[in-house]
Amino acid sequence: MIKTTGLGRGLDALIDSNHIEIRGGSSINEVELGKIAANPNQPRRTFDNEALTELADSIREHGVISPITLRKNDDGTYMIIAGERRFRAAKLAGLKTIPAYIRTAKDEQVMEWALIENIQREDLDAIEIALAYQRLMDDYSLTQEKMSERVGKKRATIANYLRLLKLPAEIQLGIKEKKIDMGHARAILGSQSTEQQLALYKRILNEGLSVRKVEELATQAKPEAPKASKAQVQYPAQEQELSVRLGRKVKISGKSITITFKNEKDLNELIERLG
């Protein structure tokens, strides 16, 4: 059965029509659930069973309001690009078919669109988003700037998500389980050692610290810069003398002498003086 409802906005508004083919124009196809498989690279890893049951109840009553998006495989089966939660709920509801848009797409596009759809619906936790960004960047050699253009997010936003992957596993799990939010996680990143980060995380859980308080504690926890050894501070007079004689800034550190020059001409003049 084919309906003639037009495509909606959301995910479809972000998909470049120059790089895809829409089978059947803008129509919606009814596809057998038995021919559909989940995307193994789906960014979303967890589905709330209670929420799925509620959606299944709604589908029994009203049907699937928003079609899912599929890619047709060479063997006649389909892989989900967007809408796995609706697909799962439809199976729970006992449906045999589900309304879907059918698209042809490369693997890169499938994962990218799945990420966009989940971000738009706010279905992913911060760690799932970070892992999806990292996977796309690694698999397709994308810079943060290119990633920003592809998914319609600021580069700084993507960088902030990727930084979360530097946190200890226990804290990443806390983010996934919504024990702390991204603001707290970013504040924890201000503390440099793993031990300090874990200590701050435990204090957040036990004391309900605000983000501002965590930022303050993270700053206080930063290790002091190592004190210079005697060898590094014993030669101020010699530095001054060499600076005057050479007409350039000179720095003596340990057993090394650093002389600053402006350009190639300046370097050649310096070499002549030293010669």
Side-chain angles (χ1 to χ4, degrees):
M1 179 177 66
I2 297 181
K3 303 176 183 178
T4 56
T5 306
L7 290 171
R9 293 189 57 80
L11 172 66
D12 296 290
L14 291 179
I15 297 177
D16 184 352
S17 60
N18 293 323
H19 294 84
I20 63 171
E21 171 190 341
I22 303 176
R23 297 183 183 274
S26 59
S27 63
I28 300 172
N29 299 268
E30 287 287 338
V31 180
E32 294 179 24
L33 291 176
K35 292 184 177 181
I36 301 172
N39 175 5
N41 295 320
Q42 154 74 267
R44 188 178 186 184
R45 297 300 181 186
T46 58
F47 293 84
D48 182 86
N49 289 330
E50 184 177 347
L52 274 177
T53 300
E54 291 177 356
L55 180 57
D57 291 340
S58 174
I59 287 174
R60 288 190 192 97
E61 182 72 21
H62 305 288
V64 178
I65 304 300
S66 180
I68 66 174
T69 305
L70 305 174
R71 180 180 73 174
K72 189 170 185 178
N73 301 317
D74 293 337
D75 62 0
T77 61
Y78 300 86
M79 185 173 71
I80 297 172
I81 295 177
E84 183 174 342
R85 181 169 172 269
R86 278 163 283 160
F87 165 71
R88 289 175 177 237
K91 291 179 71 175
L92 280 177
L95 269 61
K96 300 300 182 185
T97 64
I98 191 170
Y101 302 120
I102 312 300
R103 300 186 181 279
T104 55
K106 298 178 181 178
D107 288 343
E108 175 184 359
Q109 291 172 312
V110 170
M111 186 173 180
E112 181 182 329
W113 296 345
L115 174 60
I116 292 170
E117 196 254 0
N118 278 293
I119 289 175
Q120 286 179 338
R121 295 177 180 273
E122 300 182 349
D123 282 346
L124 300 179
D125 63 59
I127 297 301
E128 287 175 325
I129 292 174
L131 288 170
Y133 283 148
Q134 191 66 65
R135 173 77 181 274
L136 279 167
M137 291 172 63
D138 289 346
D139 287 356
Y140 303 104
S141 301
L142 300 177
T143 63
Q144 290 184 14
E145 194 66 37
K146 287 292 184 183
M147 191 77 251
S148 169
E149 295 172 3
R150 299 285 284 270
V151 300
K153 294 287 183 180
K154 293 181 180 178
R155 192 203 64 78
T157 299
I158 293 173
N160 284 332
Y161 276 110
L162 294 175
R163 289 179 66 215
L164 299 180
L165 300 179
K166 298 179 180 179
L167 288 167
E170 182 179 348
I171 300 178
Q172 291 189 37
L173 182 59
I175 297 170
K176 288 181 66 64
E177 294 177 347
K178 302 189 186 310
K179 293 180 179 179
I180 62 171
D181 58 29
M182 191 166 175
H184 282 103
R186 290 175 60 186
I188 290 174
L189 281 164
S191 184
Q192 296 179 358
S193 75
T194 299
E195 293 76 12
Q196 290 168 347
Q197 290 174 347
L198 287 170
L200 278 176
Y201 173 65
K202 288 179 171 59
R203 287 194 63 179
I204 293 170
L205 299 184
N206 294 331
E207 303 173 31
L209 301 179
S210 67
V211 172
R212 183 178 295 276
K213 184 62 177 178
V214 177
E215 289 172 343
E216 293 175 1
L217 292 172
T219 301
Q220 295 170 8
K222 285 185 178 179
E224 295 182 2
K227 294 182 179 179
S229 66
K230 289 185 178 181
Q232 293 176 313
V233 296
Q234 284 296 309
Y235 310 112
Q238 290 87 339
E239 284 181 355
Q240 178 67 21
E241 181 180 350
L242 281 172
S243 295
V244 171
R245 289 176 61 183
L246 296 176
R248 291 161 180 81
K249 183 179 179 180
V250 175
K251 178 68 177 176
I252 301 175
S253 177
K255 296 182 180 180
S256 301
I257 299 176
T258 302
I259 305 172
T260 302
F261 60 91
K262 299 177 181 177
N263 48 42
E264 185 176 357
K265 179 181 178 183
D266 192 31
L267 174 60
N268 291 332
E269 292 178 356
L270 175 60
I271 293 172
E272 289 181 6
R273 285 200 182 195
L274 293 174

